[in-house]
Amino acid sequence: MDVYKVLVLACIGGIYAVSGLLLDTYNGGNECVTRHEFMTVIAALNSSIIKEKQRSNIAFVAELNQDIVNPSTGFHIIFDKVKLDIGGNYRANHGVFIAPYPGIYHFAVELSSPPQSNDHDLHVRIMKKSEGVAITFLDDNTHQYLRRTASIVLELDTGDDVWCLIDHATGSNTIAYGYTSSMFSGFIIHPL
């Protein structure tokens, strides 16, 4: 008897316990399922639900542990202070998230720069493998902090990596750390 039929029968309420057997009265009493078979099916379903829940519990947030001063074009930003890593898929030593399952994911990078009076440009991309998929700009002369964000929804396969790259840098630039000034984050929306 397949799993779904047992569940349908259980939900209909047409299963009665008699002498250690669960009898299917929905089908005229012609089919029987032992308690052991029924409990085995329920255990398998619970295990499946737990595995699916684990696949749905993927999230990370990482910050900078110190300012990044005058990074050059091509610099890989390593957000090395992990605040949250449900699922253990963010590699703080490398600043890379690695997808454990195929799915639809959301990523964001939030960057802050302290007041600067000289000319400067700083462009940061969210990268999927070696492809730039989102960008933000910390360009401006200002006497106030700059804060910029880039975010994107991506379809990833198992093993795809997502990270942040300085795409363009000129002049004097600082990416600020501390007090959630600059962060990289992501989470799974839906496993596929």
Side-chain angles (χ1 to χ4, degrees):
M1 178 176 291
D2 69 19
V3 171
Y4 296 107
K5 188 167 185 182
V6 170
L7 286 177
V8 168
L9 295 174
C11 291
I12 292 172
I15 298 179
Y16 296 96
V18 177
S19 303
L21 294 177
L22 297 174
L23 300 177
D24 170 9
T25 58
Y26 177 73
N27 194 17
N30 294 331
E31 296 182 35
C32 294
V33 179
T34 66
R35 284 187 198 280
H36 177 72
E37 290 172 332
F38 186 74
M39 295 311 288
T40 300
V41 168
I42 296 301
L45 287 171
N46 284 338
S47 176
S48 177
I49 290 168
I50 289 168
K51 285 179 185 173
E52 189 61 28
K53 184 176 179 183
Q54 289 170 340
R55 285 173 45 101
S56 299
N57 288 336
I58 308 286
F60 76 94
V61 177
E63 300 177 347
L64 293 176
N65 216 13
Q66 61 186 12
D67 285 348
I68 298 175
V69 180
N70 293 324
S72 58
T73 298
F75 181 82
H76 177 151
I77 303 173
I78 297 176
F79 296 86
D80 54 352
K81 185 177 180 182
V82 177
K83 304 296 276 185
L84 174 75
D85 190 10
I86 298 172
N89 302 291
Y90 181 73
R91 307 298 187 258
N93 292 344
H94 305 287
V96 174
F97 171 83
I98 300 174
Y101 311 109
I104 306 299
Y105 294 78
H106 178 271
F107 295 93
V109 62
E110 301 175 56
L111 302 170
S112 297
S113 181
Q116 298 179 63
S117 58
N118 58 348
D119 287 339
H120 65 95
D121 295 327
L122 186 68
H123 304 174
V124 175
R125 286 192 182 272
I126 296 175
M127 305 292 290
K128 174 185 173 185
K129 298 192 276 188
S130 60
E131 175 189 2
V133 292
I135 192 166
T136 189
F137 306 98
L138 284 167
D139 300 347
D140 234 340
N141 300 338
T142 181
H143 297 290
Q144 300 174 358
Y145 267 83
L146 292 175
R147 183 162 175 89
R148 302 290 190 262
T149 302
S151 64
I152 190 161
V153 173
L154 295 172
E155 181 177 346
L156 300 180
D157 288 324
T158 301
D160 284 351
D161 58 339
V162 180
W163 49 286
C164 296
L165 173 77
I166 304 290
D167 186 58
H168 172 76
T170 60
S172 176
N173 292 288
T174 298
I175 301 173
Y177 86 101
Y179 306 107
T180 66
S181 295
S182 299
M183 301 186 304
F184 181 38
S185 62
F187 61 90
I188 191 166
I189 297 170
H190 180 70
L192 296 177

